[in-house]
Amino acid sequence: MRYFFDDFSFDTARRELRRGTDVIAVAPRVFDLLNYLIGNRERVVSKDELIRAIWEGRIVSDAALDTRLNAARNAIGDSGDEQRLIKTFRRKGVRFIGAVHETPASTGATVTTNSPTPAFAAPGKPSLVVLPFANLSPDPEQEYFVDGVTESLTTDLSRMVGIFVIGRNTAFTYKGKHVDLKQIGRELGVRYILEGSVQRGQGRIRINVQLIDAGSGNHLWAERFDKPIADFLDMQDEIGARLANQLGTELVTAEARRAAQAPHPDSMDLYFQGMASVHRGSDPANLSQARKFFERAICLDTSNAEAVVGMAFVDAIRGTSMQTGDRTARLLAAETSLAKVLAHLPNHAMAHCLLGVVQIFTKRAAQGIAECGRALALDRNLATAYAWIGLGKCYLGRAEETEACVMQAFQLSPRDNRAFTWMINAGVAQSYLAVDEAAVYWFKRAIETNPNVAAFVHVYLAAALAHLGRIEEARASIQMGLAIDPNFTLAHFHASSPTDNPTCLAQRVRIAEGMRNAGLPER
């Protein structure tokens, strides 16, 4: 069945929630909850009934149920205060009260084992199917959890830019079948296949996952996810989110390799190559190369919003990393580009996040934090938003809160390709707090993770080392920074202050003293 309400469409066959043309990422349990409420909208549904229907009678706390109700409301633009669509009736339950129009669900082609042509994947788009994960646990009752992990991962991957993901219902027609992976690729018309297994035992969950090139059958990437069991209900969503974050980088890299060999790359090919350059680091060379790819992508297709966001990303990072040059103009260019994207795509999570970053670095930290919060409401997997919120708090004089935000980002995406920037944010906050040993730890860890960092990282590291009395190391660090950007000076550091907060300004005076003692030129 397909339901329409407000500007949303809710397709139960495809398990998709859309606002306009945008797919809204929804966790499997939250989708099921919405489905049940919409399907029973003529009456109030008690909490006990919801638990029986969605969790099959398993014990669920009121807090866990309320969390998913709130997630359902957020997904459809509602809130506990407004209750425009989902209304709570005290001591009775909840009811979907929005006006709903329904039509039969969209249908797809039937999968056959001898299909001569691809029937599903969008032409020209990188495409992926997540096959049902295998249950390696001795307890067959764990099957529902394994299926939940597969569904959660499918939902999270569907939000990825430029990647077509085969729907859950089609993928599950292969459950329990031994079919050649190349054959699946031909039948579904996909470039990539993700398969995996889940094993639960002795208080731990272990997941093995492999990404396979459907054309050649070659393994492109493999990963193991191993952790203790905590909140069983939340775990399948967390696993899906963490695997999706890691897999996203791998797919971008694979597509960039493919695009580099294409004789006539299209706009999305160039976008993927630009993102691959972004992933390599934030030094001027990589950022310049990335921007050229994004510019070429836009020349080929002016409607390629992702390339516009990519170009805004480059401008924002150049402006925020204190690279000498016209910092103000770069931040303004980024904000202008993002405003245009959001005017047409108001639910673009990364555009909201980058706009928040620009605001944080233009003395509007409170606005920037709120904008990053909007990004997280649209995409719960956008780990980097947590790290930028942490830096925003630093620039509001609350640097003691920054590291906890950074750790939230790491919890969600522990091997993220942009994790080195989160380490830098933590190091900056520790410098503001005058906790120099911790600052040195974070800056050195960032440089070890990705040596292609901007000059200011080495300069900040030098200041912390100088305050610790490690002058020779501090001077060496200054020289490394000046090798990247010979024009970096104390005057530039002062001119690029992202905050007017009195607490922060006093803290920056101490940081500048460290830079001066390490040998950074005044002008």
Side-chain angles (χ1 to χ4, degrees):
M1 187 63 67
R2 180 181 286 177
Y3 300 104
F4 298 89
F5 53 91
D6 274 16
D7 52 352
F8 291 91
S9 63
F10 187 85
D11 193 321
T12 59
R14 293 181 179 273
R15 291 184 67 82
E16 277 187 352
L17 173 67
R18 288 179 177 267
R19 186 169 196 171
T21 59
D22 295 334
V23 176
I24 307 298
V26 182
R29 296 282 184 203
V30 175
F31 187 96
D32 293 340
L33 184 61
L34 274 172
N35 188 18
Y36 195 82
L37 289 175
I38 295 171
N40 293 275
R41 59 190 179 278
E42 75 284 353
R43 62 187 178 85
V44 176
V45 179
S46 71
K47 290 189 174 183
D48 287 342
E49 181 181 344
L50 280 174
I51 291 170
R52 285 195 301 271
I54 309 302
W55 285 276
E56 300 173 354
R58 288 189 294 278
I59 297 174
V60 178
S61 68
D62 284 349
L65 179 57
D66 289 342
T67 296
R68 279 158 181 77
L69 278 170
N70 288 335
R73 285 190 169 108
N74 286 335
I76 57 177
D78 203 355
S79 73
D81 294 329
E82 291 182 285
Q83 298 194 7
R84 295 181 302 106
L85 299 172
I86 299 176
K87 184 174 179 61
T88 299
F89 293 84
R90 191 177 180 186
R91 296 178 182 171
K92 292 182 179 180
V94 290
R95 181 183 173 189
F96 192 91
I97 59 172
V100 178
H101 170 68
E102 64 182 67
T103 64
S106 55
T107 58
T110 302
V111 180
T112 61
T113 56
N114 58 355
S115 174
T117 57
F120 289 91
K125 245 187 169 184
S127 44
L128 170 80
V129 61
V130 183
L131 294 180
F133 282 18
N135 177 23
L136 300 185
S137 304
D139 181 6
E141 292 296 318
Q142 297 305 314
E143 198 73 26
Y144 76 90
F145 178 78
V146 177
D147 288 349
V149 169
T150 307
E151 291 183 17
S152 182
L153 182 55
T154 302
T155 299
D156 287 328
L157 289 174
S158 69
R159 69 176 171 80
M160 284 176 47
V161 170
I163 302 291
F164 180 90
V165 181
I166 295 293
R168 176 261 187 214
N169 287 356
T170 296
F172 268 70
T173 62
Y174 293 96
K175 184 175 173 65
K177 298 178 181 177
H178 296 285
V179 184
D180 180 74
L181 295 180
K182 291 184 183 179
Q183 181 181 336
I184 293 175
R186 290 191 296 270
E187 291 175 359
L188 300 182
V190 294
R191 290 185 189 174
Y192 305 105
I193 294 172
L194 193 74
E195 63 173 3
S197 61
V198 181
Q199 185 174 12
R200 181 190 181 204
Q202 298 181 335
R204 298 191 71 82
I205 287 285
R206 174 172 293 174
I207 296 180
N208 289 294
V209 61
Q210 301 89 35
L211 179 66
I212 297 151
D213 185 311
S216 65
N218 294 332
H219 282 65
L220 301 176
W221 172 76
E223 185 59 88
R224 173 183 287 177
F225 182 101
D226 193 337
K227 69 170 291 179
I229 294 173
D231 185 338
F232 198 66
L233 289 173
D234 288 335
M235 184 169 289
Q236 71 183 38
D237 293 344
E238 179 193 341
I239 290 169
R242 288 179 63 169
L243 284 175
N245 275 321
Q246 291 177 229
L247 184 60
T249 301
E250 300 301 325
L251 284 170
V252 166
T253 302
E255 280 302 305
R257 283 197 299 263
R258 182 187 295 271
Q261 298 169 1
H264 303 290
D266 64 17
S267 183
M268 284 307 295
D269 286 336
L270 294 167
Y271 164 76
F272 282 120
Q273 291 189 76
M275 288 307 300
S277 296
V278 163
H279 291 344
R280 283 192 285 271
S282 297
D283 60 299
N286 278 318
L287 291 178
S288 294
Q289 184 182 52
R291 201 178 199 283
K292 289 175 184 176
F293 279 123
F294 295 137
E295 288 172 346
R296 289 174 59 195
I298 295 167
C299 284
L300 286 179
D301 181 4
T302 56
S303 67
N304 188 338
E306 304 311 326
V308 176
V309 172
M311 196 159 64
F313 174 90
V314 171
D315 289 335
I317 295 303
R318 280 176 163 169
T320 61
S321 61
M322 292 192 285
Q323 294 179 20
T324 52
D326 199 343
R327 172 179 178 273
T328 302
R330 293 193 188 282
L331 292 172
L332 178 60
E335 186 162 3
T336 301
S337 297
L338 294 167
K340 290 178 181 177
V341 170
L342 290 170
H344 292 92
L345 298 170
N347 291 326
H348 197 299
M350 181 54 79
H352 280 289
C353 181
L354 288 173
L355 179 58
V357 172
V358 171
Q359 290 170 338
I360 287 168
F361 278 85
T362 49
K363 302 181 181 180
R364 293 173 288 170
Q367 288 175 252
I369 289 171
E371 201 66 38
C372 289
R374 291 188 190 97
L376 284 168
L378 292 165
D379 180 358
R380 67 189 177 88
N381 297 341
L382 198 56
T384 194
Y386 285 111
W388 289 118
I389 287 171
L391 191 63
K393 291 183 176 182
C394 175
Y395 294 154
L396 289 176
R398 294 154 52 191
E400 67 278 1
E401 299 177 34
T402 301
E403 194 169 281
C405 295
V406 168
M407 297 315 295
Q408 279 184 286
F410 273 113
Q411 182 178 1
L412 186 59
S413 187
R415 300 184 189 178
D416 199 286
N417 64 287
R418 298 295 300 173
F420 70 97
T421 63
W422 311 344
M423 299 170 192
I424 294 167
N425 290 356
V428 168
Q430 296 301 330
S431 293
Y432 272 64
L433 294 171
V435 186
D436 298 305
E437 286 283 6
V440 168
Y441 165 78
W442 282 114
F443 288 132
K444 284 193 170 184
R445 190 174 164 193
I447 294 167
E448 289 165 4
T449 302
N450 192 327
N452 298 320
V453 296
F456 85 92
V457 181
H458 295 282
V459 176
Y460 260 89
L461 171 60
L465 289 167
H467 281 300
L468 292 170
R470 295 155 64 176
I471 298 299
E472 291 304 314
E473 286 182 73
R475 289 173 178 165
S477 190
I478 286 289
Q479 292 309 309
M480 292 183 72
L482 293 176
I484 297 170
D485 186 351
N487 298 315
F488 199 103
T489 62
L490 274 166
H492 179 66
F493 170 74
H494 289 304
S496 61
S497 174
T499 176
D500 284 331
N501 181 275
T503 300
C504 294
L505 293 177
Q507 291 167 331
R508 286 176 67 85
V509 169
R510 181 182 181 276
I511 295 170
E513 287 177 10
M515 294 176 179
R516 183 179 293 108
N517 292 338
L520 184 66
E522 293 282 346
R523 295 185 179 279

